[in-house]
Structures are given as C-alpha cells and as structure tokens.
Amino acid sequence: MTERSPLIYLRGYAGPPSGVDKQVDDPFYGLNSGATHIRVDGDGAPCFYQFEGPLLRLMIDEDYELLVRGDQHAYLEAQDDGTIPAESVWVFRFYDYAASTFGTSVAAAPETFDLERAAERLYDFVQLVRRKTGAVKVHLVAHSMGGLVARCMIQKVSHTADPSSGTPRVPGAELVDKFFTYGTPHGGISFDVGGGLVDWAMETFGPAGSEMFAPARMYTYLTPGASDGEEPPAGWQPQHIPDSAFDAKRVFCLVGTNAADYGLVEKAVGPRSDGLVHIDNAYVHQAHRAYVHRSHSGRYGLVNSEEGYQNLRRFLFGKYQVRVDLCHLALRWRPGAAETVWQAEARLSVRGLPVLLHEQTAAHYCPIQLNQEAVQHADADGQVAPVPLATAFLLDPERARARSENQSPNRSRYTLGLRVFHLVERSGRFFWEDHLEQVADWEDTLIVDVGHPDQAPDSGLQAWAAWNSEVAGEVDRVDPIRSDPCSLTAEDGELHTDIALPEPACPLLGAESCLRLTVSRVS
C-alpha cells in the first residue's frame, strides 16, 4: 500500500451567531452524519438505504482512525512528534472561536467569524497534524464555505509571512496532497430573483455571509497581497487556481444538481443549482468534477450521500485514473433557418456500487452542451480539440475484491452511458413540431475494464473496452468485456487509445469522431 496522508475535514457556513452556537455542539460539526434514504427508487419514492456517514465509512473501508479523547486538538498537541498514525481523521473546528457556549475555555470572548483568520488557523493546524503524524502532506476535505477557507490557506495565507515572527510560511502545494470539495461556491453565490426571497436569504446568511461570497471579497482572500476594498483586475476569475499556488488536477469538486430538496432558499437561487450554489459556480477550472443529483446539505445532501463518499474515496485512494474525451467532434448542422442545439447526457457507474458516480442530464439542468463545447475547444483553424466527458478513479482491485465468481479480482470495471439528442430553435424559442420527447438520436454505453490479464497479473497495465450494443447476453458475465485488450499508446506518463463510435453516432458527431480513453496510475 502506498504512503497514506492524514485527512482534515472542514464544514461549511454556519450562518449568524445563533447558527454557530448550534453547530459547535456537534463534536464533528455534522460531518459524521449519515443517512437512511436513497433519493428515489423505481417507483419514484425514497427508499431505505443505510449510509454510515463519511467519517465512519473511512474507518471501515480505509482503516483510518478518528482520535478525539475529549479534545481532538488538545490530544494532538500532547502527543510526541511522529507518533500518531498518518491514517487519521481530524475535524478543523474553526467556528469554536466564534461560539458563545464555551465560556473562556476556547476564547476570552466570542469572535466575529473572519474567513482569513480561520485560514491562518488552518495553516497552523495542518502544520501541527504533519508534525505529530510525520506525514509529508495532508488531504483537505471541505463542504461548502469550508472549501473557500482551504483555498484561502493554500492560495494566500501560505504565501504570506507569519505576521508575529516575519517567518515565511510553507507554500500550500507543499502541505496539501489532494483537495476535495462538496458543493463549494468556488464562483461565489448568486440569486436568480429579487424581492423578499433575496432579503430572506441575506438575513439567513447574515451581512458577513452575503458579502463573503461576492467576487470582490473573494479576490481579497484568495490573492496574496490583496487588501480589503481592493477591486479585482479585469478578467480575474474566482474559480481559477493559479498553477503557482496549486495543481488544479489535484482538486476534485462534487457538484450537486438537486435544488428541490434544499428548501426555501432554492426559490431565490434557482433550479439550476444544489439549492444554494449554482452548478456553474461549484467547481474549480481544470479540476476533476462529478455531478450528482443531491442537494447542498441535509439528509438528501452531498455530504450525507453514498455518491459523495464513493467519489471522495476513489479520488483520495484510487489506483487508476481513466479519462474519456470526445475527439474529432464535427456536429451535423440541419439545413434551414432553424438553429440545431446538440446536447449529450453522461452517466458514470462503477461495478459493485448502488449509485451513479456522475450524472449529467437535461432533467437535472446540466447536459453537456455540444455546440458550446465545439466552440470552446476549437483552435484558430476551427478544429475541435478533445471535449472532456468524464473522469473515473478506480480502486486497486485487490482492495475492492469482486463479490461474484463472474468477476476477476485483477480488474476494475466502470461504464459511461451516453445519449445524444438535438433540439431545434427558431427566433430564440424551441420548435417542437418535429420533436419526439425523450427519444435520443443515439445512445449506448461504453464498458471499460482496467487492470491485468488473469494469466499475467503482474504484467503491465491494460484496458479492455466495448460498447454495450456489441455484447451479447448479460454484461456482468463477460469479464474482461472483450477478448482482446485495447492497443494502448504511451505518452507523457499516460496510456491512451481511440475507440470508434458505433456507426449510428457518426452522422451526428462526425465521420471521424471517437472516444479517447486515457489510463494512468494515480501518483
């Protein structure tokens, strides 16, 4: 097993002082909460499914320890350096300083919450965890605003000298290995409607909260040297992490798409959100991300979900990374004055799991807009570069042993279901006369096995791939999914192969269109 890193969890925004006092009563800030519902069953109603919560599940699946002993921070400080297991989970309780329920045992008086001060304390806490565990780096796992506290530490605080001593701090990229966020408003929080609902939402956040997610304030706490009141320069984007601060490829953003389960604030934010954070604001540019039909928080929320945990576990501890891109896209343009809008839907599943790990659909307000992707990824000559569809992280098959005699312990399997369909616009409105609702122009599922042949389990990494339409009989009885592995080409530490689309897709997406499968070991 490769060297492990300690995990540090950060919770989201707690609201005004009364909300802070309520949240600090929970020993783990709510990050231990589980759930007993899968959102929808075959009849359209929630059904029983017992999820232990991410903290307990990590102890079960990955042998991590949650060390508390009355006061997790005090216990950590009291141990000798290098004596605590790296496989440990820590909850950064940054709100304790703003609570009024602890007397003077935490702070002489409750503080007004300040995000940058919380980020400075996070830096100190990360250093403490590293020293006591002997770990080189930590993993940060954050819900909602906690992700902005982490980004402030990584992008600004760690690049600023300690004000008390003048000593330069260690850059965040040298402290943090991987960074996972649940529903973090990386692009801020905005509202679709005005009036009383916005007033209600601002009252719920409190004046500090409403200002905290505005671009100008985000620029202040995400940029070294920036001071309060300073306007961001033209073109500055809060969702961009500079390469000099942290590699965005070591970030994973879980994006919620279920606004309906969050409550009244959804009416102000709009349906294209998790109920609080817009879908387009919930990720970092160039980072890995997955879309799941969960709300911002609560019993149907991201943190309380099997979908969230399985994405987290695989990103942190996966052995293989498999990326799928759509190459040589050349959309078919229908004749006439009408504009054809092409969209795709993608669903990613992994063998052995009861949930989808990624789901981009029109019904959830997040289909892949192929027209926009074609323009966005086109070069100066109009040639379309590969369009990213999905990235899967797969566990070592030895650590996720097959449960069926039909499945090999030497391979991991995942599938990517694709649907492509078109809509017709005239004068800015959809034109329905020729429309067939829910009928895709093309759909199929790519099945991918990654690992080693049973006859040579110690050989080099290989991949097998086939379209579901090509497989006769039950898919789970065919392993690997085809007899011959893909011919993989090595390039820049990765292996890739092009998989031709089934013939019915070619008139829609281009005669030379294909999926590029890229496989690599996780570093």
Side-chain angles (χ1 to χ4, degrees), residues 27-28 66-76 93 96 102:
F28 305 112
L66 183 62
L67 303 169
V68 182
R69 314 293 167 82
D71 183 335
Q72 200 179 38
H73 195 285
Y75 171 77
L76 183 62
R93 295 181 57 92
D96 288 4
F102 293 125

Side-chain angles (χ1 to χ4, degrees), residues 7 9 54-64 317:
L7 273 75
Y9 274 79
L55 298 189
L56 178 57
R57 192 65 170 273
L58 281 171
M59 291 186 277
I60 295 171
D61 289 340
E62 296 295 337
D63 300 321
Y64 268 65
F317 307 113

Side-chain angles (χ1 to χ4, degrees), residues 202-286:
M202 290 299 99
E203 182 179 345
T204 300
F205 289 135
S210 61
E211 179 256 352
M212 193 181 306
F213 305 110
R217 177 72 180 106
M218 294 178 73
Y219 173 75
T220 299
Y221 59 72
L222 293 178
T223 307
S227 56
D228 287 340
E230 185 176 345
E231 288 294 321
W236 182 81
Q237 297 180 335
Q239 289 169 266
H240 176 68
I241 296 180
D243 292 340
S244 58
F246 199 75
D247 182 2
K249 292 301 183 184
R250 304 196 74 79
V251 182
F252 192 111
C253 302
L254 194 69
V255 182
T257 64
N258 184 4
D261 276 334
Y262 192 61
L264 183 59
V265 70
E266 176 266 330
K267 304 299 182 184
V269 179
R272 197 168 183 271
S273 69
D274 62 10
L276 181 61
V277 179
H278 274 273
I279 290 172
D280 290 340
N281 289 341
Y283 58 86
V284 168
H285 295 159
Q286 305 303 317

Side-chain angles (χ1 to χ4, degrees), residues 408 410-411 450-464 480 485:
S408 168
N410 296 316
R411 288 180 291 279
V450 178
H452 308 279
D454 293 330
Q455 301 80 4
D458 297 324
S459 63
L461 184 63
Q462 293 186 350
W464 297 257

Side-chain angles (χ1 to χ4, degrees), residues 118-313:
E120 291 173 349
R121 287 175 172 143
L122 174 61
Y123 175 88
D124 294 338
F125 189 66
V126 168
Q127 291 287 51
L128 178 63
V129 169
R130 291 175 66 233
R131 188 167 70 250
K132 298 301 181 179
T133 62
V136 176
K137 295 182 178 181
V138 304
H139 297 315
L140 296 182
V141 180
H143 175 231
S144 193
M145 186 203 67
L148 299 181
V149 174
R151 285 186 60 190
C152 178
M153 187 277 285
I154 293 171
Q155 293 178 231
K156 181 175 183 178
V157 169
S158 67
H159 295 273
T160 307
D162 187 318
S164 61
S165 64
T167 304
R169 292 188 173 107
V170 179
E174 298 179 24
L175 305 176
V176 178
D177 185 7
K178 296 179 181 178
F179 176 31
F180 185 98
T181 67
Y182 295 93
T184 289
H186 292 287
I189 293 179
S190 56
F191 296 90
D192 283 356
V193 298
L197 282 171
V198 173
D199 293 339
W200 174 86
M202 290 299 99
E203 182 179 345
T204 300
F205 289 135
S210 61
E211 179 256 352
M212 193 181 306
F213 305 110
R217 177 72 180 106
M218 294 178 73
Y219 173 75
T220 299
Y221 59 72
L222 293 178
T223 307
S227 56
D228 287 340
E230 185 176 345
E231 288 294 321
W236 182 81
Q237 297 180 335
Q239 289 169 266
H240 176 68
I241 296 180
D243 292 340
S244 58
F246 199 75
D247 182 2
K249 292 301 183 184
R250 304 196 74 79
V251 182
F252 192 111
C253 302
L254 194 69
V255 182
T257 64
N258 184 4
D261 276 334
Y262 192 61
L264 183 59
V265 70
E266 176 266 330
K267 304 299 182 184
V269 179
R272 197 168 183 271
S273 69
D274 62 10
L276 181 61
V277 179
H278 274 273
I279 290 172
D280 290 340
N281 289 341
Y283 58 86
V284 168
H285 295 159
Q286 305 303 317
H288 304 292
R289 62 183 185 263
Y291 296 78
V292 298
H293 195 52
R294 290 283 182 164
S295 64
H296 187 73
S297 63
R299 289 303 176 186
Y300 293 130
L302 293 165
V303 179
N304 304 78
S305 69
E306 183 82 41
E307 295 95 326
Y309 171 72
Q310 294 296 345
N311 274 292
L312 170 67
R313 184 190 181 198

